Amino acid sequence: MLPFILKRLGLAVLVALTVSFISFSLLFLSGDPAAALAGETASGEDIEAVRRLYGFDRPMLVQYGEWLWQAVQGNFGESYYFKLPVQSLIADRLSVTMTLGVCGITFALLTAVPLGVAAAIRPNSIIDRVALFLSVAGQAMPSFWFGLILIVLFAIQLGWLPPSGASSWRHYIMPTIVLGYYAMPAIMRLTRAGMLEVLNSDYIRTARAKGAGEMRVMFKHALRNAIIPVVSLAAVQMGFMLGGSIVVESVFALHGAGYLAWESIARNDLPTVQALILIFSMFYIVFNFLADVLNAWLDPRMRSS
Amino acid sequence: MNDMTKPLLSVRGLTLDIPMSNGTLHAVRALDFDLHRGETLCIVGESGSGKSLTSLAVIGLLEKNIRRNATQMNFDGTDLLTASKKQMRALRGNRIAMIFQEPMTSLNPAYTIGDQLIEALRLHKNVSREKARNRAIELLEKVGITAAASRLGQYPHQLSGGLRQRVVIAMALMCEPELIIADEPTTALDVTIQAQILSLLVDLTREMDVAMILITHDLGVVARVADKVGVMYAGELVESGPAADVFGKPLHPYTRGLLRCIPQPGKTERGAALGTIPGIVPSLIGDVKGCAFRTRCPHAVEACRDAIPERGEPPHKFLCVHPDGARAAEGEPA
């Protein structure tokens, strides 16, 4: 197990370095940063002064090295727009996004996996039909529309939940449902397909022939094998959710990292964009690494490959 | 203790029907057989003749869509037809063990060999993990696996097919069953391994006095190990009886055809073509009347379309319109 983990960790670090270089290069891919900073009315001399001030005149690799060295210490420079350190700007926003993301994926897994298992145990039953309907509806409904429907129903008509903001846990209920419901259909269908395949396998017949009860067959023998692809999918979706959903954050006026990313792109605030891209990518890398480790624990065949 | 003349397993009139979109498939029809303690019954027949379904019907693991009917299905006093799910579960793996065809896929890839062996025992017997572990090691040694204790921590994918089938056999023996149903246990293995596994299985069942239903299409195997033989064709037991009788004096035209398909030392001429049975198995969907073999039988007559009487002197029985089966027609004295 340990050699497998070390190998995956090494790969993850390599991917992280590549991503960091790409996100650093964005600064140069979007035109002359010194000219952009100095403003439209700046003279040639002003631009040169800005270039020296910010160190843009040094070789790119040197700049990358310095940026990376600062970044790993949590120092992402100063936002062009807010004139504040990027890290303090992001920290607030990220806690909102992380709360929402963790709640969203938890909601998705807690509804999708039991529903997928129930649907697979009795294909074409009422439960299976209901699960299929829910997943098609979830896939077809745009998040902003579903969010608005919830706001109209639960915040305005019934007055049970606050329509927007992030000041208490009750503010997170509707965003969690909207974000989680977006991820639910794929997880549900994959769980169902995995369970159906596993339930037809010979080792399930062996388990029954041993005299194992249905619950034991389903949860000890079948689910552990069926859940393996679901783990990988959930990791990707978790990464996506922690990257912030601009749509959900906008509808519920949750000022999270996704919303900040969208604003910063619009404002050409490159240090903020760079930092966010790097952080979002790290989420993906970390969750994929964790998913690999979890899968190797679930499936011994993966450890040796 | 138990009455020695009373069979361990007694099946009468077993019928299995599968509803299909274009009618009912009569997969198994009116099967009768008895098995006594310690006996080996070999069921032979080609693919699709209903052998595997019969064995699944005995342990109650048929697919839900298959309808099972019988006048009697009795295992040592337990009526298998009316037994509850819980009663069946208490029998399966405990008093009736099953060995399947595919050793490569019949062990769970996510658990170690040890986990799976220990589970088999602890599902039925209230023993400590430590005791179950010792029993697992003992049985792994019995099935000829070296360094048994260290194998317990290995996963199925780390073992070869032959080793896995040995593990499956050890697993079947964990609870000291009275009956083992082995459904083509050697088919998926290399020819050299087949003989080893088979003699292992036969030796162990004899040593432990376990009754066995061995399902196979290998007549060579049957001749070596069977006490009783049942020949299945298209869902019917067309001939059954003590192995010596069925092999020594085959009566049903299908059995005779099958026996001509295997070379016999001293009898089959070198270089001569082996026998074949021309034709294909008829469809069993809809009304199945008369002898199912008549379309391929060299001795078929008009009366084969009607109900076929059961003939022979018990325990050697066969289904044919001809009173002596095909013996006279094939030029043998009755």
Side-chain angles (χ1 to χ4, degrees):
Chain A
M1 190 81 176
L2 194 65
F4 172 85
I5 292 177
L6 289 177
K7 212 160 86 185
R8 287 295 152 132
L9 200 58
L11 274 175
V13 169
L14 284 179
V15 174
L17 278 175
T18 312
V19 169
S20 72
F21 185 73
I22 292 171
S23 69
F24 173 77
S25 316
L26 282 180
L27 198 59
F28 296 92
L29 292 174
S30 54
D32 183 354
L37 265 178
E40 283 171 29
T41 56
S43 66
E45 276 168 39
D46 290 344
I47 292 176
E48 280 313 306
V50 168
R51 198 186 303 283
R52 272 195 303 278
L53 182 67
Y54 282 86
F56 292 136
D57 51 345
R58 292 172 300 162
M60 189 176 161
L61 272 178
V62 173
Q63 291 185 54
Y64 167 68
E66 194 186 299
W67 176 81
L68 189 66
W69 178 239
Q70 294 295 328
V72 294
Q73 297 173 65
N75 189 356
F76 292 98
E78 189 178 81
S79 159
Y80 294 170
Y81 181 82
F82 292 98
K83 305 296 178 197
L84 283 169
V86 170
Q87 56 272 26
S88 65
L89 194 62
I90 290 177
D92 283 357
R93 310 294 192 97
L94 213 51
S95 75
V96 171
T97 294
M98 280 172 79
T99 310
L100 181 57
V102 170
C103 292
I105 195 76
T106 308
F107 174 76
L109 285 172
L110 287 184
T111 50
V113 172
L115 212 52
V117 171
I121 291 174
R122 296 188 191 286
N124 298 320
S125 65
I126 296 287
I127 294 181
D128 191 19
R129 299 287 163 90
V130 169
L132 178 66
F133 171 78
L134 284 176
S135 71
V136 170
Q139 207 99 81
M141 245 187 322
S143 295
F144 76 88
W145 188 74
F146 183 47
L148 290 176
I149 298 265
L150 289 186
I151 290 174
V152 168
L153 190 64
F154 291 103
I156 298 172
Q157 301 275 342
L158 297 166
W160 291 352
L161 293 167
S164 62
S167 45
S168 79
W169 62 270
R170 294 174 68 234
H171 288 87
Y172 283 98
I173 295 177
M174 288 194 292
T176 294
I177 292 173
V178 174
L179 194 59
Y181 194 27
Y182 176 81
M184 191 275 262
I187 298 178
M188 204 280 284
R189 300 307 286 174
L190 198 62
T191 306
R192 180 186 182 271
M195 278 297 276
L196 274 180
E197 190 188 316
V198 168
L199 285 176
N200 273 323
S201 65
D202 291 338
Y203 56 84
I204 292 303
R205 193 178 54 181
T206 305
R208 291 206 170 102
K210 272 164 134 179
E214 274 309 286
M215 291 303 267
R216 195 184 184 86
V217 169
M218 290 300 156
F219 293 101
K220 184 180 174 196
H221 290 277
L223 189 58
R224 178 158 174 171
N225 287 289
I227 207 77
I228 291 164
V230 177
V231 169
S232 310
L233 175 69
V236 172
Q237 288 191 327
M238 179 109 190
F240 163 79
M241 285 182 180
L242 290 183
S245 166
I246 295 164
V247 173
V248 174
E249 287 179 6
S250 309
V251 169
F252 293 97
L254 287 167
H255 288 275
Y259 195 70
L260 177 66
W262 178 65
E263 283 178 318
S264 302
I265 292 167
R267 291 173 186 142
N268 223 353
D269 188 355
L270 282 171
T272 312
V273 175
Q274 275 182 327
L276 285 170
I277 289 175
L278 190 64
I279 290 170
F280 293 163
S281 317
M282 290 308 135
F283 281 140
Y284 269 100
I285 292 166
V286 167
F287 284 108
N288 273 310
F289 169 70
L290 291 179
D292 281 345
V293 172
L294 184 56
N295 271 343
W297 176 72
L298 287 169
D299 185 354
R301 284 168 297 185
M302 275 184 216
R303 286 171 221 165
S304 46
S305 63
Chain B
M1 236 184 80
N2 288 292
D3 183 1
M4 287 310 287
T5 57
K6 209 175 152 219
L8 178 69
L9 176 69
S10 180
V11 174
R12 291 288 174 277
L14 176 65
T15 299
L16 300 174
D17 291 331
I18 310 173
M20 311 275 274
S21 55
N22 52 343
T24 302
L25 174 69
H26 301 282
V28 168
R29 300 188 304 289
L31 223 63
D32 296 345
F33 65 89
D34 283 334
L35 188 65
H36 290 83
R37 285 180 186 277
E39 256 181 359
T40 296
L41 164 68
C42 285
I43 299 182
V44 288
E46 49 201 284
S47 312
S49 59
K51 303 172 303 214
S52 297
L53 282 180
T54 302
S55 65
L56 290 174
V58 171
I59 58 166
L61 283 181
L62 288 169
E63 297 284 326
K64 287 194 186 82
N65 63 330
I66 300 178
R67 288 200 302 265
R68 181 182 74 174
N69 284 299
T71 51
Q72 185 192 338
M73 258 182 108
N74 194 300
F75 176 78
D76 195 29
T78 306
D79 183 358
L80 299 180
L81 291 169
T82 57
S84 68
K85 277 186 180 172
K86 208 176 154 195
Q87 282 175 301
M88 286 310 296
R89 217 160 59 221
L91 284 180
R92 279 201 293 270
N94 185 18
R95 301 182 62 194
I96 305 177
M98 182 104 199
I99 295 169
F100 294 105
Q101 196 178 117
E102 288 292 337
M104 300 311 280
T105 50
S106 55
L107 291 167
N108 193 325
Y111 295 98
T112 61
I113 304 304
D115 278 342
Q116 299 186 54
L117 285 165
I118 290 166
E119 182 190 29
L121 186 63
R122 279 166 55 95
L123 274 170
H124 300 287
K125 311 265 173 180
N126 189 14
V127 296
S128 68
R129 259 194 93 78
E130 191 53 39
K131 272 198 171 151
R133 206 183 114 88
N134 290 337
R135 169 89 179 143
I137 294 172
E138 179 196 329
L139 276 171
L140 285 183
E141 279 166 357
K142 232 186 170 90
V143 297
I145 292 180
T146 52
S150 68
R151 297 281 184 188
L152 291 183
Q154 287 191 313
Y155 288 93
H157 74 274
Q158 294 168 308
L159 306 179
S160 67
L163 274 182
R164 285 188 216 187
Q165 197 64 313
R166 285 173 197 265
V167 171
V168 170
I169 292 171
M171 202 157 82
L173 294 169
M174 282 297 277
C175 290
E176 298 180 59
E178 290 143 79
L179 170 63
I180 288 182
I181 303 175
D183 186 357
E184 308 210 15
T186 60
T187 308
L189 300 173
D190 289 345
V191 179
T192 47
I193 309 293
Q194 282 186 3
Q196 285 176 21
I197 295 288
L198 195 78
S199 40
L200 174 75
L201 193 58
V202 170
D203 291 347
L204 285 177
T205 50
R206 286 205 178 131
E207 184 189 322
M208 301 171 130
D209 201 27
V210 185
M212 178 159 69
I213 299 178
L214 179 64
I215 293 169
T216 179
H217 54 239
D218 185 340
L219 283 169
V221 166
V222 179
R224 269 185 291 150
V225 306
D227 297 312
K228 280 181 179 173
V229 180
V231 181
M232 279 192 83
Y233 182 79
E236 281 179 314
L237 208 51
V238 293
E239 182 161 359
S240 63
D245 294 354
V246 175
F247 278 97
K249 196 182 161 193
L251 294 168
H252 194 279
Y254 178 63
T255 315
R256 299 175 70 86
L258 275 186
L259 290 172
R260 270 196 300 273
C261 296
I262 52 169
Q264 286 175 312
K267 281 192 185 172
T268 309
E269 208 177 309
R270 188 172 284 274
L274 286 171
T276 54
I277 304 177
I280 52 163
V281 182
S283 161
L284 299 177
I285 295 176
D287 274 346
V288 181
K289 267 180 66 184
C291 177
F293 189 58
R294 66 174 186 271
T295 52
R296 300 169 74 182
C297 182
H299 315 296
V301 293
E302 200 52 37
C304 296
R305 293 174 185 280
D306 303 326
I308 306 296
E310 189 177 274
R311 299 187 186 276
E313 294 158 26
H316 188 185
K317 297 180 294 186
F318 66 105
L319 292 172
C320 191
V321 288
H322 303 295
D324 63 344
R327 282 176 70 83
E330 291 178 7
E332 279 181 44

